[in-house]
Amino acid sequence: MSNEIQKIDVSKIYNGEVTEIPFSFTFVPEGTENEDLTFDAPVRVDGRVYEKARGRDKAESYVELAFTVSGDYIPHCARCAKGLKCPFEAKRVYGLTKKLESEDSEEYIEVPDSLLDVAELARTVFYLELPTRVLCREDCKGLCPVCGTDKNERECGCKIDTGANKLADLKKLLDK
C-alpha cells in the first residue's frame, strides 16, 4: 500500500472474504510540541488485521490488529544540547469490536462502521510513545550555566555558587 491515509475495511474478514489484510505504509511526522525534536525520514508502519478465532458464524469471529511503528527521531540532549539520532519502535496488538462494552478499554478498538483508520492510530501511538526528555548518556554533565562550555568535553573553571540562597537575594531586592 502507498503513503495514503490507510482505512481498512474489516467487514471483508467478518464476511469471510479474507482471513487477513496486511498493510505497510509510511507517514511524515508533523511538528510536535517539543521544538528540539526533528525527523529526517518518514516513519514506517507495518502490520495486519486478521481473524484470530472463528466464531459460530463468521460475523462472530475474533479479529485482531497487530502493527509496528518504527523510525528515527533526532532530539537534543536535555543537558548538553547535543543532537542525537535515536531509533524508535512501538508494537501494538488490539482486538477489534463493533461496539465497546466499556469506554475504558485500551485493549480493544471500536470499529462500528467496519472502517479502521490505521494511519490515525499509528500516528497516535507514535506521538504518545516519543520520550519527552532524552540524554546523550546517563552521566551527562551538561553545559556550564555561566559560559556555556560542554562539561563532558572539558572543565571551564567558572565559579558557580551552589550554596547561595537565591531566595535571600530576591528578598533583598524586594526589601529595597
Side-chain angles (χ1 to χ4, degrees):
M1 292 185 177
S2 66
N3 294 338
E4 305 168 357
I5 299 295
Q6 299 299 311
K7 291 196 178 185
I8 296 175
D9 184 0
V10 296
S11 68
K12 291 178 181 180
I13 295 175
Y14 287 117
N15 294 339
E17 295 174 42
V18 295
T19 57
E20 180 176 314
I21 303 171
F23 58 89
S24 182
F25 61 93
T26 61
F27 68 88
V28 177
E30 298 163 3
T32 65
E33 291 180 16
N34 184 348
E35 295 172 6
D36 288 335
L37 188 62
T38 57
F39 307 92
D40 66 347
V43 173
R44 181 158 188 78
V45 181
D46 296 298
R48 65 190 183 122
V49 177
Y50 59 98
E51 181 180 64
K52 174 109 179 182
R54 180 162 295 194
R56 282 176 284 166
D57 65 34
K58 290 181 177 38
E60 294 179 359
S61 295
Y62 178 68
V63 178
E64 276 190 345
L65 162 68
F67 66 95
T68 301
V69 181
S70 60
D72 293 323
Y73 63 101
I74 303 170
H76 290 90
C77 176
R79 292 184 187 155
C80 70
K82 278 188 184 141
L84 309 165
K85 187 170 187 173
C86 300
F88 173 87
E89 182 175 275
K91 295 181 180 192
R92 293 289 184 275
V93 176
Y94 298 103
L96 302 182
T97 182
K98 293 179 182 180
K99 180 158 177 53
L100 280 176
E101 298 298 321
S102 168
E103 294 293 319
D104 297 333
S105 178
E106 293 181 16
E107 299 171 7
Y108 293 93
I109 296 174
E110 186 175 53
V111 191
D113 60 358
S114 295
L115 284 178
L116 175 63
D117 190 344
V118 178
E120 184 62 33
L121 185 59
R123 282 184 176 87
T124 300
V125 167
F126 177 73
Y127 288 117
L128 288 176
E129 291 295 320
L130 281 175
T132 55
R133 186 171 185 258
V134 178
L135 298 177
C136 62
R137 61 183 203 223
E138 202 58 42
D139 64 341
C140 178
K141 296 176 184 175
L143 302 175
C144 171
V146 176
C147 69
T149 297
D150 184 345
K151 293 172 144 186
N152 296 309
E153 295 176 7
R154 66 182 174 90
E155 288 298 322
C156 59
C158 291
K159 299 279 187 211
I160 300 172
D161 188 7
T162 58
N165 186 344
K166 304 293 185 203
L167 291 177
D169 293 341
L170 189 58
K171 183 168 177 3
K172 288 178 193 175
L173 285 172
L174 291 173
D175 289 342
K176 289 183 181 179

